[in-house]
């Protein structure tokens, strides 16, 4: 038999909290801490992004509204000219020619990179272990070679007098390539540069797509074979759904890298001949670093950033439509 004690509380006193209420408050504080902790952990990375990316971006945007040549840079004068840099850039027909060339060049090498990487990734799945390792080592070596070193090799391969390509084509019976100059025109120069960029970009795409392919269970391929599916039908029904998100990601990254490609273009012919291989990245260098017209260069950089922002927005839109990248 349990005795119950009646406790008389003074008038106006607050009754003590029950253990159940105290536990609920602790759980509420715990849930609040769990919600806040991820944001606290992200603060250092967010601060680094703001310092390393956001602040330089603000500076470039501010410079694009100023007249900042070598004279203003030495004297320290700040001359605001509004949208004059943008007006002069957008009214220049050469800017639109270079922009169109850059977009076509980027689209071509991105398409070649993704197609080449996809073919090699599918091929590696069907190769034996020894041959597959040899292919992977070759891809790693091509990927690890410095850009300038690879550029030098390509310049020797396509050299007009001593290039091994012209000599090989001559021995195969194509005698018209004796002394042929691959750098005599803008399109042919861009073709060589595009091949160079694709050569170094394919390994990353190949390994990324191959990682997605080997993640598909063997049972799915066996089931497709039992159903009588052809190789193309198996690829569409089994392989492609597994690597589609990865393909979207590497395509987006390739666009960002190739749109801003500079080292290969400058090392091959510095945008020549006669500006025929000049892209927006080269124009940005010529205006800013070489020409000391930093205000005009800031405007070009901002316009390039707008293009990349539009591409990024499209990528995020595609990402949210996939099950793996659902952000909702």
């Amino acid at each position: 038999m349990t005795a119950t004690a009646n406790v008389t509380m003074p008038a106006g006193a607050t009754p003590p909290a029950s253990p159940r209420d105290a536990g609920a408050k602790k759980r509420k504080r715990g849930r609040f801490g769990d919600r806040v902790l991820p944001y606290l952990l992200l603060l250092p990375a967010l601060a680094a992004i703001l310092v390393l990316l956001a602040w330089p971006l603000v500076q470039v945007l501010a410079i694009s509204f100023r007249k900042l040549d070598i004279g203003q840079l030495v004297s320290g004068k700040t001359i605001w000219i509004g949208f004059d840099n943008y007006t002069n850039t957008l009214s220049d027909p050469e800017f639109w020619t270079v922009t169109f060339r850059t977009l076509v060049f980027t689209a071509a090498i991105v398409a070649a990179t993704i197609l080449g990487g996809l073919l090699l990734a599918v091929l590696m799945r069907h190769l034996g272990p020894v041959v597959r390792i040899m292919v992977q080592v070759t891809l790693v070596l091509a990927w690890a070679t410095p850009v300038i070193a690879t550029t030098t090799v390509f310049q020797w391969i396509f050299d007009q007098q001593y290039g091994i390509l012209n000599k090989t084509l001559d021995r195969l019976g194509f005698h018209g390539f004796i002394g042929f100059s691959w750098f005599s025109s803008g399109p042919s120069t861009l073709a060589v540069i595009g091949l160079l960029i694709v050569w170094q970009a394919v390994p990353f795409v190949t390994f990324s797509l191959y990682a997605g392919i080997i993640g598909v269970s063997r049972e799915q391929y066996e089931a497709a074979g039992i159903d009588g599916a052809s190789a193309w039908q198996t690829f569409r029904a089994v392989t492609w759904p597994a690597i589609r998100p990865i393909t979207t990601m590497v395509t987006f990254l390739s666009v960002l890298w190739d749109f801003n490609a500079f080292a290969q273009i400058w090392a091959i012919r510095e945008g020549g001949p006669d500006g025929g291989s000049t892209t927006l990245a080269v124009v940005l260098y010529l205006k800013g670093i070489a020409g000391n017209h930093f205000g005009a260069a800031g405007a070009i950089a901002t316009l390039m950033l707008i293009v990349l922002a539009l591409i990024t927005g499209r990528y995020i839109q595609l990402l949210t439509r996939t099950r793996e990248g659902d952000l909702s």
Side-chain angles (χ1 to χ4, degrees):
M1 190 170 184
T2 303
T4 302
N6 295 326
V7 181
T8 305
M9 295 295 299
T14 303
S18 65
R20 181 180 299 176
D21 295 338
K25 291 181 179 179
K26 289 182 180 180
R27 287 194 299 271
K28 187 175 181 180
R29 287 196 297 268
R31 288 195 297 268
F32 177 76
D34 293 340
R35 291 195 300 267
V36 173
L37 181 60
Y39 297 99
L40 294 178
L41 295 176
L42 287 174
L43 279 179
L46 180 61
I49 290 175
L50 291 176
V51 172
L52 298 177
L53 295 179
W55 178 245
L57 178 61
V58 172
Q59 289 293 315
V60 170
L61 185 62
I63 289 174
S64 68
F65 292 104
R66 295 166 52 186
K67 180 182 180 182
L68 185 59
D69 298 336
I70 191 65
Q72 289 77 30
L73 191 63
V74 173
S75 63
K77 294 182 179 180
T78 301
I79 304 176
W80 298 97
I81 58 176
F83 290 94
D84 287 356
N85 287 324
Y86 293 95
T87 303
N88 295 333
T89 300
L90 295 175
S91 60
D92 184 6
E94 184 65 23
F95 171 78
W96 293 107
T97 302
V98 173
T99 300
F100 178 75
R101 181 188 301 132
T102 304
L103 294 176
V104 173
F105 177 71
T106 301
I109 57 179
V110 168
T113 300
I114 300 302
L115 181 60
L118 180 59
L119 292 176
L120 284 175
V122 175
L123 176 64
M124 284 198 300
R125 180 184 172 273
H126 297 282
L127 293 176
V130 177
V131 180
R132 182 169 61 247
I133 291 175
M134 293 176 59
V135 173
Q136 290 175 346
V137 170
T138 303
L139 291 173
V140 170
L141 292 176
W143 192 12
T145 306
V147 173
I148 300 301
T150 308
T151 303
T152 303
V153 172
F154 266 69
Q155 285 178 316
W156 169 70
I157 292 175
F158 290 91
D159 186 78
Q160 181 177 357
Q161 298 296 332
Y162 307 102
I164 189 174
L165 179 60
N166 286 350
K167 293 183 179 180
T168 303
L169 292 174
D170 177 44
R171 293 194 175 185
L172 291 176
F174 301 97
H175 304 296
F177 285 94
I178 298 177
F180 179 78
S181 176
W182 293 91
F183 304 107
S184 60
S185 65
S188 61
T189 303
L190 284 177
V192 176
I193 296 172
L195 183 62
L196 169 60
I197 295 175
V198 170
W199 173 266
Q200 291 197 301
V202 160
F204 170 76
V205 176
T206 301
F207 284 119
S208 299
L209 297 179
Y210 180 67
I213 291 176
I214 62 177
V216 182
S217 63
R218 187 177 298 273
E219 288 77 9
Q220 296 186 44
Y221 290 106
E222 292 176 353
I226 293 174
D227 292 338
S230 63
W232 172 247
Q233 291 173 335
T234 301
F235 174 80
R236 288 201 312 169
V238 180
T239 305
W240 179 247
I243 65 173
R244 182 177 178 181
I246 302 177
T247 305
T248 303
M249 180 195 70
V250 295
T251 301
F252 168 71
L253 294 176
S254 298
V255 170
L256 295 185
W257 293 333
D258 297 340
F259 186 79
N260 293 309
F262 170 78
Q264 298 91 335
I265 301 173
W266 188 257
I268 289 289
R269 281 297 182 273
E270 298 182 357
D274 299 326
S277 62
T278 301
T279 60
L280 285 177
V282 176
V283 172
L284 181 61
Y285 172 81
L286 293 175
K287 287 284 187 180
I289 305 301
N292 296 319
H293 301 300
F294 302 104
I300 296 174
T302 303
L303 294 173
M304 293 176 63
L305 183 62
I306 292 174
V307 174
L308 295 178
L310 294 175
I311 296 173
T312 304
R314 177 57 180 169
Y315 169 71
I316 295 175
Q317 184 181 10
L318 293 175
L319 187 65
T320 55
R321 292 179 180 177
T322 62
R323 182 183 306 173
E324 293 79 5
D326 190 6
L327 302 179
S328 59

